[in-house]
Amino acid sequence: MFLEVVKANYLDGYKIQLLFNNGETKVVDLSNSLNGKVFTPLKDIEYFKRFSIKFNTIEWENGADFAPEYLYDIAS
């Protein structure tokens, strides 16, 4: 089974609660993952909050995203 994000809720700071298609809910803190030019806008917390679920993961309007497997692995 391919891992997918099916629901995401902003919590605080750079934390997002994620529900995966395997039924697990995890919290991911992306504060240490915003490296590289495409992630620079996400350092603005108001911009960070404006994500959506697209192509089975979270994505921002500038096209920045993270693989669902990466999110799952770093989440608690």
Side-chain angles (χ1 to χ4, degrees), residues 7 9 17-20 22-27 72 75-76:
K7 187 174 181 182
N9 296 307
Q17 182 182 50
L18 303 171
L19 172 62
F20 293 90
N22 65 0
E24 289 189 58
T25 299
K26 294 190 169 204
V27 174
Y72 186 87
S76 56

